[in-house]
Amino acid sequence: MRYQLATVLLSALAVVAAPAPRLPRSIFDKTTSVTSSILVNAPLADTIAALQDFQNMINLNPLVISSTPDAANPNVYTIIDKLALPLGFEFNTTYKATFTKTPVGMDTISDAGLGVTIQNHWVAEAIEGGTNVTETDTVTANFVVSPFIESEIKSSHGQLLETFKSQLEAKAGQA
Ligand SMILES: *[C@@H]1O[C@H](CO)[C@@H](O)[C@H](O)[C@H]1NC(C)=O
Ligand SMILES: *[C@@H]1O[C@H](CO)[C@@H](O)[C@H](O)[C@H]1NC(C)=O
């Protein structure tokens, strides 16, 4: 059963990857949004500054194994993620991500290859007891690979948020 799942995923990825570098958007595409938030016990301004430290935010993502800023545009990074499939299969995927500071955090847009586009919208907001950090991820992908991408994002960004929180709180504690 698991082996079948891995085979199906691998052939789905192969099919989707075939007309590289980029598939036209089609009726097979699906767009989904996932929102997660975490309460950080640190000042709002520090939290926004941390969200706008692009290199640090990239490093917090447990899937990332390499990242290189673009020589011409410091807001663009070439990133390599290591993705794991069932049964110990793994593959590396290289993509470009563009980061933009906003007054309340930052936005990213990644053209992740395999016809996958991911937008991340980060917002920090002062609330009773600290700063509420909310991440909204919008994934557009072929409906076959979409559930896989969503579950990767849910688990990796769950970890990212937890590390983000402990990093900031450690810093706030020292201040
Ligand atoms: C992914 O990249 C890492 C580090 O460069 C390398 O060790 C690994 O063999 C690569 N994996 C695949 C499946 O290409
Ligand atoms: C943080 O913001 C999100 C999105 O607006 C909201 O759903 C969540 O309830 C907020 N969390 C707290 C603790 O206020």
Side-chain angles (χ1 to χ4, degrees):
M1 188 56 206
R2 292 205 64 147
Y3 178 70
Q4 275 175 346
L5 177 62
T7 313
V8 167
L9 274 172
L10 281 172
S11 27
L13 289 166
V15 167
V16 173
R22 197 185 169 137
L23 280 182
R25 302 268 75 118
S26 78
I27 54 163
F28 299 110
D29 280 351
K30 186 176 164 238
T31 297
T32 4
S33 277
V34 184
T35 298
S36 1
S37 53
I38 201 163
L39 178 65
V40 180
N41 188 10
L44 177 65
D46 294 2
T47 308
I48 293 176
L51 288 174
Q52 295 179 344
D53 180 347
F54 304 147
Q55 183 67 66
N56 189 48
M57 291 301 287
I58 294 169
N59 295 346
L60 289 179
N61 184 338
L63 298 179
V64 171
I65 56 174
S66 137
S67 64
T68 317
D70 193 290
N73 182 350
N75 294 340
V76 176
Y77 288 77
T78 299
I79 299 175
I80 305 178
D81 279 6
K82 185 163 93 176
L83 297 174
L85 291 174
L87 279 180
F89 286 105
E90 59 176 48
F91 67 100
N92 296 339
T93 173
T94 304
Y95 57 95
K96 270 194 199 307
T98 304
F99 292 72
T100 311
K101 292 182 185 179
T102 68
V104 289
M106 65 105 162
D107 288 343
T108 70
I109 179 151
S110 310
D111 181 355
L114 307 174
V116 178
T117 307
I118 302 170
Q119 286 172 276
N120 311 95
H121 181 60
W122 296 85
V123 172
E125 171 193 34
I127 58 166
E128 187 73 36
T131 302
N132 189 14
V133 175
T134 304
E135 178 189 4
T136 307
D137 303 311
T138 306
V139 179
T140 303
N142 183 288
F143 75 98
V144 180
V145 291
S146 195
F148 171 69
I149 311 275
E150 281 161 40
S151 79
E152 287 287 329
I153 290 182
K154 265 185 212 160
S155 65
S156 63
H157 285 217
Q159 280 182 55
L160 192 163
L161 279 172
E162 290 294 339
T163 321
F164 180 81
K165 175 185 162 81
S166 25
Q167 204 178 55
L168 257 172
E169 289 180 352
K171 219 181 269 175
Q174 284 160 13

